[in-house]
Amino acid sequence: MRKLVLVAALLLTAMTMAFAGPSKDTSGATSGAVTLTVYHQIDLASPQYEYWPVTLAAFAEKYPDIKLDFEYVSGEQFHDKFQAMAATGDIPDIFTTYVGSRSSYILDRGLVKDLRPYLTDSFKANYTPAIWGPQGPNGEIYIISPNMAVCTVVYVNTKLQKELGLTTPKTLDEMIAQVPAIRAAGYTPLMFANKGVWQAQSLLLSMLVDRMGGTAWFDKARAGTAKFTDKPFVDALAVIKRMVDTQLFPAGVNQLEGPEGWGDFVQGKSVYLLDAGWRVGALKGAAAPADYAQYEAIAFPEVPGEVVHGSSAATLGEALAMNAKLTGAKADAAWKFLSFIYGQEGLDILMKYGTVPTYKLDYSKYDLDSLNRQYIQLTNSQTMGYVIDAVMDGEGVNNLLNPGIQAVMMGSKTPAQLAAEYEAWVAANDSNRKK
C-alpha cells in the first residue's frame, strides 16, 4: 500500500512539473512565477528515492511561485545525453553534478555556477566541514553535497550466515574460504555488479589502493613522485583478480546492473553484498522488514599485505548544481531550491528515509534502525581513502582505467599491464602531474 501511495504521489508530482509551462522571458519569470528546468539523475522507481516526492511537495508548499520542469534519467544514459548537451553549451538550469571526473564534461567547460557567493559562514557552519573543500581548480564550490559518498561497505545477510553455519569473516582469506559452502548451497558469496564499469574502480579498487598504500602514497602518485606501477596499485588490482578467480563474485559480474546486484541480495540470493554506503536507504525500502532488520554493515575484510587497516574510500555525494549562466530571478529561485532541498528542511526528510546527511541534525530525535546505526558507527570508526575518479582526470579513468579493470577481471590483461598503461597515460596527460 505504501508503494502505491508513493507511486500516486510521483505521478502527481510529474504532472505538476510537466504542466509547469515555459517561461515567458529570459529570466524565467511569468506573472511573478519562475520556471526552472531540472535534469536529474535518479530512478524514481527505486526505493532509494522514496523521499524525493515528499521533499518536492514540501518545497512547493513553501515556494508556490517556483515551478520545476523535471527530466529524470538514470544510469549511464544520464551521462550520455548530458555530454551531448554539454557539447552544445545548451544545458538545463539545474542538473545533477558529481565532484570529479564523472562530471568533467560540464565542469571543465565552465558550465557550472560557483556557489561561493551564496555560502555565508553561518550557512556553512550547519554542515560537516569536509564538504567545503575545494571542488574546482580555483577553490570553486559547485554543490552542497547532502551526504558523504562512502564507497565501500559490505552488507551481511546474517540469516543466511546462520543457515550455513558461517561467521562474519575478518579477513579476505576467511571470506574466500566460505565460498565452497556458500556455492554448494546455491547462493552467491559476495554480490557485486559492474556493468556500469565504474563500480569496480569506485567501490572496490579505490578502497584497496588505500589499504595497500594509504593516502600519502596516493598523493605521491598523483604528483609523480610515486608511480601507478608501484606495488600498492598493482597489488590492489591483483586482489580484484583473485576475488574473481576464487568465485566470490556472481557469474557475469560485469554484465550485472547495480539494481540487479543489490536486488538479488534483497531476495536472499547472496550472503554478502559489496556496495556503497548510500545503498542503505534502498535496502530499507526494498527488503521485507524482517529481512532488513537482520542485515549488518561491516568494513571490507582485512586484505593480505594491507598497510592501512579497516579503511574505506569516500568522496562527496552528487547533488544538483546551477547553470553558470543563471542570473536575476532564475538564479535567486535556483538558490532557494538548492538551499531548501540541501538545507535543514530537505535533509530532515532525507534522514527520515534512512540516509544520514551532511547537515548537523540532532540524531537523537530520529528513530534510526539497526543498520543505519551500524553504518554511522562503522564510518565514524574508519579512515577514508580517495575515490580515484574523484581526484584523477576523467579521461584516463573513464577511457582507460575502468575498462582496464574489467579486462583484468576477465583475464585479458594482467594487473601489471593495466598499471603500466594507466601510469603512462597519467604521466603524459593527467592535470595532477602538470601542477
Side-chain angles (χ1 to χ4, degrees):
M1 178 60 75
R2 183 186 183 197
K3 181 168 289 187
L4 289 175
V5 171
L6 284 167
V7 169
L10 283 170
L11 290 174
L12 179 60
T13 300
M15 291 173 64
T16 301
M17 304 311 166
F19 288 99
S23 58
K24 292 185 177 179
D25 58 37
T26 55
S27 72
T30 170
S31 302
V34 175
T35 299
L36 299 168
T37 55
V38 187
Y39 185 58
H40 200 182
Q41 172 165 265
I42 62 173
D43 178 2
L44 288 176
S46 170
Q48 184 172 344
Y49 300 108
E50 286 183 345
Y51 73 93
W52 186 240
V54 181
T55 305
L56 289 182
F59 177 76
E61 182 176 0
K62 184 170 183 176
Y63 296 106
D65 288 337
I66 299 176
K67 308 300 181 185
L68 302 167
D69 183 3
F70 275 92
E71 180 178 4
Y72 293 111
V73 182
S74 63
E76 293 309 308
Q77 290 181 345
F78 170 89
H79 292 284
D80 293 342
K81 183 172 182 178
F82 205 10
Q83 287 185 59
M85 285 191 257
T88 68
D90 185 13
I91 62 174
D93 299 323
I94 296 174
F95 38 81
T96 298
T97 298
Y98 296 77
V99 174
S101 64
R102 289 283 281 169
S103 292
S104 59
Y105 51 86
I106 48 173
L107 295 175
D108 294 349
R109 288 184 169 97
L111 299 177
V112 187
K113 185 178 283 292
D114 182 2
L115 296 180
R116 284 181 295 179
Y118 298 93
L119 302 175
T120 63
D121 288 343
S122 60
F123 182 90
K124 292 165 66 175
N126 293 314
Y127 296 82
T128 302
I131 74 168
W132 301 125
Q135 300 171 7
N138 301 304
E140 294 91 340
I141 301 292
Y142 300 119
I143 63 171
I144 306 168
S145 182
N147 62 298
M148 290 297 292
V150 178
C151 287
T152 308
V153 174
V154 175
Y155 298 95
V156 183
N157 184 328
T158 61
K159 184 172 69 176
L160 288 185
Q161 275 189 322
K162 292 175 183 175
E163 174 185 317
L164 300 175
L166 305 174
T167 58
T168 298
K170 291 183 171 54
T171 68
L172 181 59
D173 288 343
E174 291 178 4
M175 179 178 276
I176 290 172
Q178 295 180 357
V179 169
I182 296 173
R183 289 282 180 193
Y187 299 117
T188 296
L190 179 63
M191 185 58 66
F192 184 56
N194 190 44
K195 186 175 182 179
V197 186
W198 60 271
Q199 292 96 334
Q201 170 266 129
S202 291
L203 309 188
L204 184 55
L205 180 64
S206 295
M207 176 275 299
L208 290 171
V209 170
D210 187 67
R211 294 282 185 95
M212 295 303 190
T215 53
W217 174 83
F218 200 94
D219 285 337
K220 291 179 181 177
R222 291 169 68 183
T225 55
K227 308 293 183 186
F228 287 101
T229 49
D230 290 352
K231 185 175 172 56
F233 198 74
V234 176
D235 284 354
L237 288 167
V239 171
I240 296 177
K241 182 65 168 68
R242 184 185 178 213
M243 294 172 72
V244 174
D245 292 345
T246 54
Q247 298 186 309
L248 265 174
F249 294 140
V253 57
N254 289 318
Q255 282 75 52
L256 275 178
E257 294 278 11
E260 294 179 271
W262 62 262
D264 281 355
F265 177 77
V266 166
Q267 293 177 41
K269 297 180 179 179
S270 69
V271 178
Y272 306 105
L273 168 68
L274 176 60
D275 211 317
W278 60 79
R279 198 62 65 209
V280 174
L283 297 178
K284 183 174 184 177
D291 287 335
Y292 179 77
Q294 52 88 24
Y295 292 160
E296 291 184 352
I298 63 171
F300 192 87
E302 181 180 334
V303 178
E306 70 179 26
V307 297
V308 178
H309 304 298
S311 68
S312 184
T315 186
L316 299 180
E318 77 274 16
L320 291 170
M322 293 169 59
N323 188 323
K325 295 179 182 177
L326 290 190
T327 59
K330 270 200 165 187
D332 291 343
W335 173 247
K336 286 177 180 174
F337 179 55
L338 296 183
S339 59
F340 178 88
I341 63 173
Y342 300 133
Q344 182 174 11
E345 294 155 295
L347 295 184
D348 171 74
I349 295 170
L350 184 68
M351 182 77 176
K352 290 174 179 173
Y353 279 79
T355 296
V356 179
T358 52
Y359 196 96
K360 296 176 181 175
L361 297 170
D362 179 5
Y363 293 164
S364 65
K365 75 174 189 177
Y366 296 93
D367 183 21
L368 289 176
D369 56 68
S370 174
L371 191 64
N372 262 302
R373 290 189 183 281
Q374 288 180 48
Y375 173 68
I376 293 170
Q377 185 174 12
L378 172 65
T379 55
N380 284 342
S381 67
Q382 291 179 299
T383 59
M384 297 291 169
Y386 296 117
V387 179
I388 297 172
D389 65 11
V391 295
M392 302 301 293
D393 284 359
E395 184 179 353
V397 173
N398 296 330
N399 298 338
L400 196 156
L401 183 60
N402 288 351
I405 299 170
Q406 280 199 342
V408 169
M409 295 170 76
M410 293 184 289
S412 60
K413 190 172 288 185
T414 68
Q417 284 176 317
L418 175 57
E421 292 172 5
Y422 186 57
E423 169 58 31
W425 190 93
V426 170
N429 302 287
D430 198 284
S431 60
N432 286 282
R433 295 285 178 90
K434 299 180 186 300
K435 293 177 180 176

